[in-house]
Amino acid sequence: MDHRHLIAILRGITPGETIAVCEALINAGITMIEVPLNSPDAFTSIAMASNALSDRSAIGAGTVLSKKQVWAVSDAGGTFVVSPDTNKQVIEETVRLRMFSFPGVFTPTDAFRAVKAGATGLKFFPAEVLGPKGIKAMKAVLPPELPLYAVGGANPDNFNEYFAAGCAGFGLGTYIYKPGMDASQVAERAAAAVAAYDAGKPA
């Protein structure tokens, strides 16, 4: 399944909201959905979404900090792991279990440690601190085929700046979902993100 390089980060979502919000995202065109593990009963949400929607989306986990959590994500049916740091054990275990790994990086040292461990793509976080210039400088020395994601401060208004810096896509957190938002609000924001991504994505 081809996915846009847009990851919806549903930090704080509860199992009761999960399916409706995921359906809204998928219908809008965002099919990579991350449930951070510091959300209430995150593994239940991941399992529910994976069971119901895995034919139309990729469901993964964020804020993954240990091998044990990687195993639990796999058991819940997750297909990708997003970690806030460059944890070699987490990356290697994710890849060993045939899931995709998107570790958080901030420096060239982080980035190359992640590459050597087998990362699928790199999450530049917080992107608003690094800025497009910082990402562009690091992109110049990284493997050209490795997808880079701007996370933390990326939104439809600045997608083009990050595309110009060499990013393939974005992780969208509070822009796309905050606890208390209903599915219709998420759908509206997701549609705006998809429109901006499709309009700006390099050929």
Side-chain angles (χ1 to χ4, degrees):
M1 183 191 305
D2 283 335
H3 302 280
R4 288 179 177 88
H5 289 288
L6 287 172
I7 301 174
I9 303 165
L10 305 182
R11 191 175 307 281
I13 199 161
T14 62
E17 305 166 272
T18 295
I19 297 300
V21 168
C22 288
E23 288 270 15
L25 289 165
I26 293 165
N27 290 337
I30 297 179
T31 54
M32 294 181 73
I33 300 169
E34 168 195 335
V35 178
L37 294 189
N38 54 2
S39 303
D41 209 1
F43 291 112
T44 299
S45 294
I46 292 166
M48 286 173 62
S50 177
N51 287 335
L53 304 166
S54 62
D55 58 331
R56 299 166 56 205
S57 63
I59 307 296
T63 320
V64 178
L65 302 171
S66 68
K67 282 170 69 171
K68 190 174 176 184
Q69 289 181 335
V70 173
W71 302 335
V73 173
S74 179
D75 289 346
T79 59
F80 68 90
V81 164
V82 182
S83 43
D85 60 345
T86 311
N87 184 316
K88 184 170 178 277
Q89 285 189 322
V90 166
I91 298 166
E92 289 177 346
E93 194 63 15
T94 300
V95 174
R96 188 184 74 78
L97 292 175
R98 300 191 176 177
M99 295 186 290
F100 299 108
S101 169
F102 302 98
V105 304
F106 191 76
T107 68
T109 302
D110 294 339
F112 280 103
R113 187 180 293 146
V115 170
K116 284 175 188 166
T120 310
L122 302 181
K123 175 183 89 168
F124 279 100
F125 177 83
E128 61 195 336
V129 178
L130 268 169
K133 287 181 180 174
I135 294 173
K136 186 175 183 180
M138 279 189 263
K139 166 80 174 169
V141 296
L142 290 168
E145 70 282 358
L146 191 72
L148 309 180
Y149 294 77
V151 183
N155 63 68
D157 292 338
N158 60 25
F159 281 180
N160 284 346
E161 296 169 44
Y162 287 104
F163 277 138
C167 287
F170 309 92
L172 300 172
T174 54
Y175 168 80
I176 208 97
Y177 174 82
K178 291 178 195 153
M181 268 190 192
D182 64 28
S184 64
Q185 291 172 288
V186 173
E188 194 175 308
R189 292 186 175 215
V194 166
Y197 174 90
D198 288 352
K201 182 186 171 193

